[in-house]
Amino acid sequence: MRNRPEWLSNAVFYEIYPQSFLDTDGDGIGNINGITEKLPYIRNLGCNAIWLNPCFDSPFGDAGYDVSDYYKVAPRYGTNEDLATLFAEAHKLGMHVLLDFVPGHTSWKHPWFTESMKASTNEFTDRYIWTDSVWEEAPGYGSLRGISDRDGSCIVNFFTHQPALNYGFYKPDRPWQQPMDSEGAMATRNAMKDVMAFWLSLGCDGFRVDMAGSLVKNDEDSKGTIALWQDVRSFLDERFPEAVLVSEWGEPDKSIEGGFHMDFLLHFGPSHYNDLFRCEKPFFGGEGDAAAFVGKYLESYRKAAGRGLICIPSGNHDMDRLARHIRGDRAKMAFAFLLSMPGAPFLYYGDEIGMRYVENLTSVEGGYGRTGSRSPMQWDASEGAGFSTGPKENYYIPLDPDSGRPNAAEQLADGDSLLNEVKKLIGIRQAHKALGNDGAITFVCDGAKGKPLAYFRTSGDEKILVVINPAKEEWTVPFEGATGELLYSLGEQPVYAAGRLSVPGGTACFWEVMHE
Ligand code: NOJ
């Protein structure tokens, strides 16, 4: 295992979309002070780390993933001092905060881009990737054309208003494609190191890195991008050895090689993550099939070889809400899985109360179909859900209009709520190293149609069997020469008799193996 801060061993993350968490100044948009105010709520849930979506100055064409000033908190969220206070208060509670770092592109309103669009050569001419002529587009990439005095097309990364920063090409094959070690590409890399150093010096604990695998272009096997991140890691190791990096890459073998501590399994790419939670027949719905997911997971797990953590999130700001597909006991079962897998768990704000996807919303700030997963946090049963001191008509995104929408206050008071189940599961995870981030996993059953997901989690002498059985059928496993202790069960309890453990359909359990 690469050097990494101690706290990652039992980190459970909570992802916060700052716009929608808590608004303490009544403008209908969440802010940093609102997050600081709710730290005890997050800590009480058992989460001890935060991933904060982008909070930097931006024209908000993509909810802040279009940065116009890397060094400044967007005024609607507060000030840099407010953010420093959030870091300090989190640390007092034994918590850590990762910022969202977007190194691949900026907003087209970023002053660097304004300079880069000029016909005359200047410091930022090579900050972005331009072809030599407006009539030539970069093959395989989208582009911005016809908006500058400069003659050229500029590569974009995501939306057209997000021009791609220049980290060079792994294999340049056109005159305008600069190598990775060219002056312009190195200047971009150094500028980004400076940004990281700035926030780390202010007290943040590291970064979730947006589109981390996409920086170097024409880089089919990601060799260039991996080398670039290795260089960034060396820089951090020298100056900020405690800085944590998690990548939005979705290929743990590559990202971990690049020096990331953790990578996400995502709703896109090869992970089969959606088979579990978000498809026509998700595994946790009871009729799905998890076998392809397990196959892919094991492949990544072997390649990562204990050098880093593979993180399976409950959701995030880019995918529809878990509760759109899975509710009630099935949601508890999904959390029993998420909170008993290796790697650091990531809970998307509101998933702990089963917040729903709000259907049919008009897109807000480039959210499009993602907007329904970004609605204001539902803190209580009041008309405005306790999200803001201002009127609900001004909310950044409309509230879930359902009168029966879940809320945190009621769930905190209800021992059977999803929130309290999540809290219980985090507690069990943190009390048992085998269930924790670094415990090993061996699958006993791969969740093929009609079958449960069953796996041993182990650490030292501790061995725990986890069975998640959303299917109808009971599942029985031989348990020869061993007895056990039930650490957790959801629904009807499993039965242990004559060396066999029987787990009824529609239930889940954690069974600690005790050798006689
Ligand atoms: C991934 C982010 O999660 C998403 O919200 C954003 O739109 C794109 N990257 C572009 O930065």
Side-chain angles (χ1 to χ4, degrees):
M1 178 73 65
R2 104 167 6 97
N3 271 349
R4 63 169 209 208
E6 200 48 43
W7 64 268
L8 266 194
S9 305
N10 72 344
V12 178
F13 283 86
Y14 191 85
E15 178 192 344
I16 298 180
Y17 192 70
Q19 292 87 319
S20 301
F21 200 55
L22 182 69
D23 167 28
T24 57
D25 57 15
D27 63 358
I29 301 183
N31 50 21
I32 305 285
N33 289 343
I35 299 170
T36 307
E37 191 177 314
K38 288 295 183 183
L39 286 175
Y41 166 84
I42 301 166
R43 193 70 192 89
N44 172 59
L45 188 62
C47 294
N48 49 18
I50 288 171
W51 155 27
L52 183 59
N53 287 116
C55 57
F56 312 108
D57 218 0
S58 164
F60 293 103
D62 183 13
Y65 283 96
D66 48 331
V67 177
S68 57
D69 186 344
Y70 284 102
Y71 289 97
K72 185 177 166 206
V73 166
R76 73 185 201 181
Y77 298 135
T79 61
N80 287 12
E81 289 68 41
D82 294 339
L83 192 53
T85 305
L86 170 64
F87 299 149
E89 292 302 312
H91 293 158
K92 281 188 205 156
L93 294 173
M95 301 171 77
H96 295 87
V97 183
L98 305 188
L99 294 178
D100 209 318
F101 179 50
V102 191
H105 49 264
T106 66
S107 160
W108 61 1
K109 301 288 176 208
H110 196 295
W112 294 347
F113 193 61
T114 311
E115 288 302 305
S116 199
M117 283 198 296
K118 290 183 176 162
S120 55
T121 304
N122 61 54
E123 190 188 340
F124 301 101
T125 298
D126 293 329
R127 184 54 50 96
Y128 300 83
I129 310 169
W130 293 84
T131 65
D132 282 339
S133 151
V134 74
W135 311 119
E136 180 180 0
E137 287 188 80
Y141 298 97
S143 62
L144 257 171
R145 307 163 59 224
I147 61 160
S148 61
D149 290 342
R150 175 175 183 165
D151 187 4
S153 307
C154 182
I155 291 189
V156 297
N157 253 4
F158 194 69
F159 289 142
T160 16
H161 54 71
Q162 289 161 316
L165 286 159
N166 175 28
Y167 294 92
F169 283 69
Y170 188 59
K171 287 183 192 154
D173 59 16
R174 304 279 304 144
W176 50 266
Q177 297 182 352
Q178 303 181 349
M180 287 176 64
D181 59 359
S182 62
E183 202 181 314
M186 288 309 288
T188 309
R189 195 190 293 194
N190 289 333
M192 285 307 169
K193 287 178 183 169
D194 290 347
V195 172
M196 296 173 106
F198 177 81
W199 293 109
L200 288 164
S201 303
L202 208 76
C204 93
D205 298 289
F207 304 94
R208 172 268 188 190
V209 180
D210 189 69
M211 295 176 68
S214 73
L215 299 193
V216 177
K217 307 300 184 198
N218 280 10
D219 188 20
E220 216 182 311
D221 301 324
S222 309
K223 290 198 176 112
T225 306
I226 291 171
L228 182 149
W229 282 112
Q230 285 171 340
D231 171 53
V232 173
R233 186 67 248 174
S234 308
F235 159 78
L236 291 173
D237 282 345
E238 216 165 275
R239 291 204 38 209
F240 304 96
E242 294 287 293
V244 162
L245 292 183
V246 55
S247 52
E248 186 201 33
W249 194 319
E251 294 180 82
D253 50 320
K254 293 181 176 170
S255 48
I256 289 167
E257 180 72 27
F260 285 88
H261 297 104
M262 317 179 260
D263 191 10
F264 289 109
L265 290 192
L266 293 162
H267 55 301
F268 56 83
S271 74
H272 285 275
Y273 169 88
N274 280 347
D275 298 2
L276 302 184
F277 311 101
R278 294 167 175 85
C279 63
E280 208 184 312
K281 288 190 176 161
F283 173 75
F284 290 108
E287 290 176 41
D289 189 325
F293 165 82
V294 171
K296 199 66 211 172
Y297 179 84
L298 279 175
E299 193 185 315
S300 301
Y301 183 75
R302 285 191 198 108
K303 284 187 188 162
R307 292 172 302 147
L309 303 172
I310 300 172
C311 304
I312 313 175
S314 70
N316 72 24
H317 61 289
D318 290 333
M319 43 179 128
D320 59 350
R321 285 271 183 191
L322 185 63
R324 197 182 197 191
H325 309 269
I326 295 159
R327 295 187 183 176
D329 268 5
R330 296 197 176 277
K332 291 181 177 172
M333 209 176 281
F335 276 103
F337 163 77
L338 289 163
L339 292 164
S340 63
M341 284 293 283
F346 276 73
L347 274 64
Y348 183 49
Y349 84 95
D351 277 353
E352 74 278 18
I353 56 169
M355 258 176 72
R356 295 167 194 168
Y357 179 85
V358 185
E359 306 285 343
N360 304 318
L361 290 179
T362 303
S363 175
V364 175
E365 295 186 346
Y368 300 97
R370 307 173 293 184
T371 306
S373 301
R374 301 174 173 186
S375 61
M377 176 67 181
Q378 295 150 200
W379 291 107
D380 60 36
S382 67
E383 212 199 327
F387 164 65
S388 165
T389 49
K392 83 178 200 307
E393 295 66 43
N394 293 350
Y395 285 12
Y396 161 84
I397 290 176
L399 269 176
D400 178 355
D402 191 324
S403 57
R405 64 181 177 232
N407 70 73
E410 283 177 357
Q411 292 208 11
L412 279 167
D414 170 3
D416 283 337
S417 66
L418 180 59
L419 185 153
N420 276 314
E421 197 77 8
V422 168
K423 183 173 169 177
K424 177 160 86 181
L425 283 161
I426 297 177
I428 296 171
R429 178 184 183 91
Q430 291 186 328
H432 293 274
K433 258 191 137 180
L435 288 174
N437 300 3
D438 298 311
I441 187 166
T442 326
F443 282 88
V444 184
C445 188
D446 67 359
K449 196 166 164 36
K451 296 257 164 51
L453 272 174
Y455 39 91
F456 283 111
R457 299 292 319 279
T458 48
S459 172
D461 289 342
E462 196 179 34
K463 182 170 184 179
I464 295 168
L465 174 69
V466 174
V467 184
I468 313 276
N469 190 12
K472 288 197 193 82
E473 302 302 315
E474 176 179 274
W475 182 76
T476 301
V477 63
F479 237 49
E480 279 163 33
T483 57
E485 185 189 324
L486 189 61
L487 293 179
Y488 170 78
S489 72
L490 174 67
E492 206 183 318
Q493 293 198 350
V495 178
Y496 177 66
R500 297 178 79 76
L501 182 73
S502 299
V503 184
T507 72
C509 63
F510 302 172
W511 185 265
E512 182 165 4
V513 181
M514 314 269 191
H515 284 274
E516 286 170 329

